Every structure is written in structure tokens, then in C-alpha cells.
Amino acid sequence: MDRKLDPLRDDLPLMANTSHILVKHYVLDLDVDFESQTIEGTIVLFLESGNRFKEQSSSTEEAGPSASEEACRFRTPEPCHIPATDTRPFSSKMGYNDVVICGKGDKDTSDKDGNRDNQEQASGISSWKYCRDTGNHGSEDFLLVLDCCDLSVLKVEEVDVAAVPGIEKFARSPKFRNQIVRELVALPADRWREQLDCYARCSQAPGCGELLFDTDTWSLQIRKTGAQTATDFPHAVRIRYRTQAQGRSVTWTSDQSGRPCVYTVGSPINNRALFPCQEPPVAMSTWQATVRAAASFVVLTSGENSAKPTQLREDCSSWHYYVTMPMPASTFTIAVGSWAETKPQICSSDDPATETSFSPSEADFRNIGVCGHVEYPCRFQNASATTQEVIPHRLFAPVCLQGACQEALLPLIPPCLSAAHSVLGTHPFGRLDVLIVPANFPSLGMASPHIVFLSQSVLTGMSHLCGTRLCHEIAHSWFGLAIGARDWTEEWLSEGFATHLEDIFWAKAQQLAPHEAQEQQELRACLRWRRLRDELPNCPEELQVLRPNKEKTGHVSDSGSSVIKHGLNPEKVFMQVHYLKGYFLLRFLAKRLGDDTYFSFLRKFVQAFHGQLILSQDFLQMLLEDTPEEKRLELSVENIFQDWLESSGIPQPLQRERRAGEESGLARQVSAEVAKWVRVNRRPRKRKRRETEEVFAKLLPDQLLLLLEHLLEQTTLSPRTLQRLERTYHLPEQDAEVRHRWCELVVKHKYKKAYGDVERFLQEDQAMGIYLYGELMVNEDAEQQRLARRCFELSREQMDRSSAELVAEMIL
């Protein structure tokens, strides 16, 4: 991990010109084909011109389609089937240069991506060739730039929204197509159902002229001849496209029962290989999606409604989802597979899982404070929703894991949701789906609006890892989703908060007494301190900084494009620096101000900033302004930036705190147990009869984790000691974090009897096993290296791409 960073490889360009024009709503109409491993269909973008540049429109009245446009019409796509019961609406990483135009000497990457060949084959008329033949890329025509990668774009056209029956009420003349869209996106929140219905009907309207388009590695560029400003550019655009099987936004694999499935991943390129979109966080939009798949599959997406399938044919079903809260397109998630729903064995009338969901149409809206976000049907303004401790939820998993989910996960969801509500108040989202994803999922969890992915690794052992990870993902509903970072380099605003809050939520979910909660949180702080201390020496200094853009954080180009520093670095995905340093900053502030003051403020902050994007200073300035002078103790935004966010290494305040942190009661108990094991390890094989047998205390999962970390620091442990250790704590049956440390001990001390545990871990816990491959290789032991290569060969075809690339570098 000490390689020199290469900006051309590591920085992620976001090309969308969001300062000029914004997507306000997406309508996706998609077919999922497991035979070809593609998702194909259309996406309709409803656009609103921006206000960060001066436009001079030659006329406010739009002309009808030209003769050439009429001649270029393609057949209209299949109508999107929307069940009547589901008709509802709504929903921000940023390019090197504003726009890179083909025909100006730029490198042509189309052959590698295959987009242009596909366009010519599918269209009959090559939109790219037509665009190039005009020789007019230096003209003053406005260019819509979308973030796009690993997609085959087949056709782009303007949508004739004026052809929709009844839509004329939004415009003075049927020629005012853009005016219709402007009026539609501006509808007030209480007309959300009408708005969604209009979006759906407009998305099915015929085309009224093909638009010229081009693609490069990172973007799709669209223009209309004669449309010289964003105001003139069509405000309803349909794109027909197809994903590629190796696209970096989707993973085609098999679940734990051997059945095919596909899901989106939180990859560095987010959703741009799933659909053309505006990736910069500021491009907040709503969406609705109709997804068709074989009737045996379940479709889950980021949606407010608990969708049910509509059978179209005997072998095909359609699922429809929508959102009414504007969010970044990067938060959209989809998972299609033979998932089985796990339900409570006995469902009583007072079971929290059966609590009623409050849709926007049923909301009891009252003036409960003032929201700072754009208008949408907000749950914080819904008097019923504000008191709803447990939102409706569903749990899905492969069939073979239903039993484990029933036992380990399902009972935890209500208390964890209730605990989160007791700390932060109103749940930003009205329902939750939880899905156990395939073994190749590259992390323990991922949160998206209305849906959480969890790794199968959380299901083993006791409830501790399962509960803490669930709490972490639930915390993202507030920090990461309802409140997002305006600059994606400030990941700590999402991950730091979720890491800090997971301990608070989990303590409340367990109903711990205050002193017990305090002890457990001190122990977890000790573990995280050790993790941060061990990770930093192997992490490039540039990746240790939580605010790498410093005073330029949040800045974009004139077009709205930008670059995410280190956004494509494959190693960054597996680092926890932004989790850990962010966590310790928040812990430092809570200790300095007092928990009561800090968490009282946090609720105020959520109330003030939900539905919005923030920078670090937004949080810190409000915190310090809200804190009495005597509690600030010379804290300032500037010194917090300097000490915590803009420096590599361990912050000085944290170094001082951790000198005293090892003294918590649970950590001292572990130290006593470590001393016992050291004595056991030193004893000769044949002991004297008078020697007393060591009696080991029962340990909590985090204590066991700390014990194994201490034992990893021992130079040698005998096979006899390792065998007794394994039997005393039943290590192969513990949670994944404990088993990971056990595998490290096995590898370090070449304990051959437990190599099977290592092999199972690498196969079944791929979210956590990456660095075990490195441990197996660095020992330069032939048997261990064969084990690593064998496991990799068994897993590499199904393994997450970033994980596979990193492991390949280690062992090949």
C-alpha cells in the first residue's frame, strides 16, 4: 500500500455539467436478462435549466420538430407497466475539464468500450457518426453532459410531452414542451401523486426527433442542433441503452443457494454503469423505476413503496418503485434474485414489524418546525411519522440462509430501529428492506434509501456483530442519505457518524445500564484505536487526510464538473481511516461538550439539515454556535480542521486521550486473561503435579477480539496453546471479526491443524478476508502460499472486481 499515487489512475472525474442543467426526475423502464447478463431499456430524464450562467434565448416559443427530425424517428419503446396501486412519485464525485469533445484531437476510447459499434448495429442510423459528420462540435450548440461508463448507448431522442392527453394544462400552447416540463417539476409537494402519474405518462410519449450524441470513457454528451442554451435544450430526453456484463456498477453472480442474481455495488463509479446520470452530489433528483424480470425473481430497489410483482406473462413479472425525496443518483440501488422473505414466526397485532407505513398521501402534516430543504413530502413534517419508533421492514435472503436470518437478524431489526429513533428522532425513510447479499459482496454492509445490504458474515456467532453492523447501516439513513456530503472527499461525514452512532444505538438496543454502555464503548474505542494505529503505517499519507481539498472543498468548475481525489484508488475501498478518524473526532467532541449537550445538538442538526448536502464547516459551525462558551474550551472550526481533518497521522488530541483509554474495566480484564495465556504458553509440555490449572473468564465478543489482538503480538505461541485457545473459546463458531483474528494467529504460527478454518474464511467471508491473502504470502511458507492460490482460484470468478485485483497483486 505504499505505492506512489497516480492522479490519472486514482482520481475520479465527474463530468456532468450540473451548473447549467439539472435532472429533476428519472423514469427507468428496464428488463433484466440473466442469460446475457445485461439490463436493457430506457431512461427518461426530466430536466431543469440551471441559473449559474447567463442565457440568451432567441425565443420563448419552441418550434415543432424539423423535417430531418421527423425523418429520424425511431420506434417508441414498450409502454412501462405501472400498477394502479403503485402510482406515486419523486426522489447529489464531480470531470477533469468541463467537457471533452470528439473531433478536436481527443483520444478515441470507443473501441475499448464498444459503445459506438453497438450504436451503429442497433440504430440503423449512427447517432455518433451523424454527429461527427456535421463537423460542428465547435459550434455554440448547448451540450448536455451526463456521467456514463461501461454502457452501450443505443439511441437518444427528445420526448414529445405535448402529445400526452390532458398535459396541455401545464402550458399555454402545445409547442411549449419545455414549459410543460418546467411546470411539472415545480408542482407542490401535496400534488406528488399527480406529478408521478404525469412523469410516467410523459415517459411513454412518442419521440419527436433524434438527438445527436457521443460517448467517451466517462461521459455521454448530447446536443440538439440549434439549441444554443440550456433553456432551449429539450427538457425531456429519452435514452435507450444496455449495460455491459463487466460494467463496474453491477455484479452478476450466484447467491449462496447457487441461483443467479445481480446487484449494484457501492463502487467508485457508483451508478454510471447502470444508467446515464448526473453523479455530482448536488444533482438531487427523484425517480421511479419499473423493472421486469423472470417471474421466479424478486426485484428490490430504493423505493418508498413495498412493491409487489405484477404478472405480465406466465414467465415475466414487473415491479414498480418510486421515491418522493430528492437524493443523489448515486444512492439508487437495485438487487434482483431468487430472494426469499423471512417473516416472524408468530405475527401478533402489536408486533412492531406490522406497524403502519405512512405514505405522503396519508400524512398528517403539521407545522413542526421549518425544513431547510427543497419542497417534498417530508416525514419530519408528518406528525404521525415523528412518533413512529419502528418503521415497517422486510428481510430477504437466499433460501439456504432463511433459518440463520430468522434466528440471528430478524429479532434485532425492531430494537435497533427503535434505538435509532430514541437518539435522532424521526426516521427519514418510511420503510426498510434488509437483504443478505451473495458471499462476494465486498463489505459487511451498504445503506441506500429504503434498503440495506448486509454480508452473510454478520449472521455467524452471537448477535454482537450482526447488531452493530445493522445499527451502522441504520445510522446512514440520517448521515449519508438524509444528510449527504456536498463533496464526496468528505466521507467522514457519513462513515464517521455511522461508526460513532452504531455504539450508541447498539447499547440502547441491548437496554444496557449507563455504566455497562460506557464500559462497552470504551472497549470498542480501544479496539478502534489499535486498528487506526496499525493501519496508518501502511496507508499513503494522502489517504490519511479527511479533508484533502482543504479550502477548495466543495468547489467545482464553471460547468459543475469536478474531480474526486483518490476516488478510483482500489486500495482506498479497503481502508478504514475515514471511518476511524471521523469516529474519534466525534467522540472527542461528545466528551468535550458532554453527551447530553452533544446528542441534544445532534437532534437539532438533523432537524435543520435533513434533505440537504453539507460540508464539514456546516456541522462544526452550528455545533460551536450552539454550545455555551464555557464548554467550548477554545475549540474553533479552524483548529479542528488543522488537528483532525487536514493532517495525516494520529491527531494530537487523540494521542493524549488514548494514553488513558486502555484503563477501562473490560480492557483490564482482558489484560489479566492475556497474562494467563502467556503463562500457559511458557509452561513445559509436562507440568509438575502441584501446578494449578488456569481458569479463564468468560469474555464478551469485543473482549475476545482484543484478547486475540494481544496474543498476535506474542512472538511465538505453541501448537498446544493454540489448540487450547481454540477449544476454550470455540473460535471457529465465533463471529467473523473474531474468526478473522483467529485465522491471523493460525497463519502467523503455521498452525496446520486449523488451515481448514482459514480456507473456509477466505471462501465464506470474502468481505473481510482480503488481507489474509497477504499474510499467507509474506510468511514465504510454500504450503500457505499454495493455500492462498488455491482459495483464490476457487473464488476469483465470483469475487468482487476490486478485491480480485488487489488479491492478484498480492499472490500472482
Side-chain angles (χ1 to χ4, degrees), residues 201-218:
R201 290 191 292 126
C202 286
S203 72
Q204 299 173 45
C208 57
E210 185 179 0
L211 301 177
L212 310 178
F213 70 91
D214 195 5
T215 60
D216 59 24
T217 303
W218 291 113

Side-chain angles (χ1 to χ4, degrees), residues 63 112 142 148-149 244 247 305 402 461 480 523 531 696 775:
K112 182 183 74 171
F142 174 78
C148 175
C149 183
Q244 298 178 9
N305 55 316
Q402 272 191 290
L523 179 61
R531 203 164 300 155
F696 297 102
E775 297 294 331

Side-chain angles (χ1 to χ4, degrees), residues 343-344 347-348 350-356 390-394 410 413-414:
K343 299 180 179 180
C347 191
S348 63
D350 58 350
D351 191 325
T354 66
E355 291 196 19
T356 304
V390 180
I391 56 176
H393 49 275
R394 304 183 298 182
L410 190 62
I413 300 177

Side-chain angles (χ1 to χ4, degrees), residues 14-25:
L14 296 188
M15 307 297 288
N17 52 340
T18 54
S19 296
H20 299 166
I21 195 164
L22 286 171
V23 179
K24 303 301 290 184
H25 188 78

